[in-house]
Amino acid sequence: MLEAADKAWLSRLLGPGARFDEPMSRHTSFKIGGPADAFLQPQSEAELKAIIKWTRKKKIPYILIGGGTNVLVRDGGIRGLVIHTGHMATAITWGQDQQRIRVSAGAGVATRRLCAQALKRGWQGMNFALGIPGTLGGAILMNAGTAHGCMADVIETVKIMTSTGKQILLQRRTLAYRYRLLQMPSGTGDDSYPAVITACELTLTNGDREQIRGQARQWMRGRSRRQPAWQPSAGCFFKNPSPDQPAGRLIDEAGLKGMRVGGAQVSARHANFIVNRGGASAADVLNLSTRVREAVHSRFGIELAPEVYVVGEE
Ligand code: EPU
């Protein structure tokens, strides 16, 4: 799909930030995925805009990744571009208005870094996201969350770049948040040319630093007891069908912990994690996930839907 002149253009624009035939296994927490025709790391909104305008003209599709922590790339890799926003806009700034803290951050900021900043300064409202990997851009798009809250609770504005390179500021009241999804306004992009989240503003509150830190320690302990953080995975593989029917419990009760296909395994610690035991292919993960869905469906009559984005070619 990419010709020599296309590669030359991208290299001129991004220097070492443009790589070709790049294995996506290097850029996903699953450590799985075939090669992307081009893997691009813009450092600024100007570079992003130049790429977006160029791909439209060339009719070359792109997908976006932030931290690569909630994605499964199929073994055939990705035809077209992967735009990695994790190196763009990584500043965090803030202002205070009485008890309210208004935080501005770029989409490339690691969610973990913002949580650490909140803990250090005694800001209340981010503890729900402790331990969520990846970047704010990804967390906002998938409305990342836990039992204690989700991004929609704290987001005030989201800045996006549309698929035509226009910048738009979306206000909280206009955001269409769903369970694990921020629906982009119509006309801002589509599956082949999605809108890009570039920055956000969050509202947190001033709290009692010791109390927030105590809560953080307790939640993190619970999380590391329950989740296989030491093994490559994309976190929870399926969405919870409902709050009182968590996917992990359904898979566990169906007796599937430890089930294996090739290098992929249903974690023995948390049944909603599919882990890469070493050398797993995307096909292994997908075959295993199909078996899990079938077993849960036949046992409980419940259809599980993946939370992880599955992209690329077979
Ligand atoms: N459970 C089992 N067996 C298991 C796993 C869980 O019986 O193997 C039971 C637990 O005992 C608990 C219930 O299922 O009663 C829920 O489990 P847990 O508290 O671990 O929460 P979860 O709903 O499975 C959610 C998020 C996680 C987040 C945790 C932390 C989803 C799909 N998952 O998990 O997010 O870390 O809460 O609160 O919303 C992710 O999104 O990738 C992710 C890992």
Side-chain angles (χ1 to χ4, degrees):
M1 180 178 270
L2 286 184
E3 290 167 10
D6 299 328
K7 293 183 181 177
W9 188 88
L10 289 166
S11 293
R12 265 199 311 278
L13 179 70
L14 300 175
R19 295 189 226 166
F20 305 100
D21 302 312
E22 176 72 3
M24 288 303 293
S25 52
R26 291 189 190 152
H27 303 284
T28 60
S29 57
F30 242 140
K31 301 196 187 306
I32 292 174
D37 288 346
F39 182 80
L40 308 176
Q41 295 181 301
Q43 307 270 338
S44 66
E45 290 185 7
E47 286 182 355
L48 176 68
K49 188 170 179 172
I51 298 168
I52 284 183
K53 294 203 140 202
W54 179 84
T55 71
R56 284 300 286 245
K57 210 166 64 204
K58 290 283 195 175
K59 297 194 167 47
I60 300 172
Y62 59 86
I63 67 158
L64 301 163
I65 68 164
T69 55
N70 198 45
V71 64
L72 175 65
V73 180
R74 291 195 187 91
D75 301 311
I78 294 167
R79 301 296 72 77
L81 314 179
V82 174
I83 303 177
H84 175 239
T85 55
H87 287 248
M88 261 180 53
T90 54
I92 303 177
T93 57
W94 63 93
Q96 185 162 352
D97 166 19
Q98 294 182 347
Q99 283 305 90
R100 286 183 353 149
I101 312 289
R102 190 78 169 241
V103 182
S104 302
V109 168
T111 308
R112 206 168 253 158
R113 209 179 113 217
L114 180 59
C115 289
Q117 187 80 249
L119 279 180
K120 184 169 146 204
R121 302 191 181 277
W123 301 337
Q124 186 129 31
M126 276 315 287
N127 266 1
F128 77 88
L130 283 162
I132 292 183
T135 60
L136 278 181
I140 293 168
L141 182 66
M142 61 163 299
N143 191 14
T146 62
H148 305 295
C150 61
M151 290 306 291
D153 300 340
V154 292
I155 286 288
E156 211 47 54
T157 64
V158 176
K159 198 167 143 203
I160 63 169
M161 189 178 289
T162 70
S163 58
T164 54
K166 212 168 103 194
Q167 309 240 30
I168 299 183
L169 190 66
L170 305 171
Q171 299 290 339
R172 176 180 180 80
R173 64 192 145 70
T174 67
L175 295 175
Y177 262 120
R178 315 257 178 277
Y179 171 64
R180 299 292 172 263
L181 179 70
L182 169 63
Q183 193 117 38
M184 286 291 167
S186 65
T188 57
D190 56 34
D191 285 350
S192 301
Y193 303 95
V196 188
I197 295 171
T198 55
C200 65
E201 280 184 313
L202 316 177
T203 298
L204 305 176
T205 52
N206 246 333
D208 177 317
R209 188 156 43 179
E210 283 322 303
Q211 189 252 325
I212 298 169
R213 286 185 180 178
Q215 182 188 61
R217 273 194 297 275
Q218 195 191 343
W219 288 359
M220 285 303 280
R221 263 202 302 272
R223 199 179 161 112
S224 59
R225 229 185 10 250
R226 286 197 304 270
Q227 299 184 359
W230 71 97
Q231 285 169 312
S233 77
C236 283
F237 195 87
F238 297 103
K239 294 178 187 165
N240 285 340
S242 69
D244 55 348
Q245 286 177 315
R249 186 187 301 152
L250 297 171
I251 300 167
D252 191 354
E253 285 178 2
L256 304 175
K257 271 186 168 168
M259 184 193 236
R260 207 166 163 161
V261 173
Q265 185 173 38
V266 175
S267 165
R269 174 154 311 183
H270 192 300
N272 197 12
F273 279 63
I274 292 183
V275 295
N276 178 359
R277 293 292 307 263
S281 62
D284 291 343
V285 174
L286 291 169
N287 288 339
L288 180 59
S289 74
T290 302
R291 289 203 200 171
V292 168
R293 284 168 88 152
E294 286 170 357
V296 167
H297 188 259
S298 85
R299 172 87 192 262
F300 302 105
I302 294 173
E303 198 62 65
L304 292 179
E307 181 193 274
V308 169
Y309 290 91
V310 181
V311 298
E313 317 227 315
E314 302 277 342

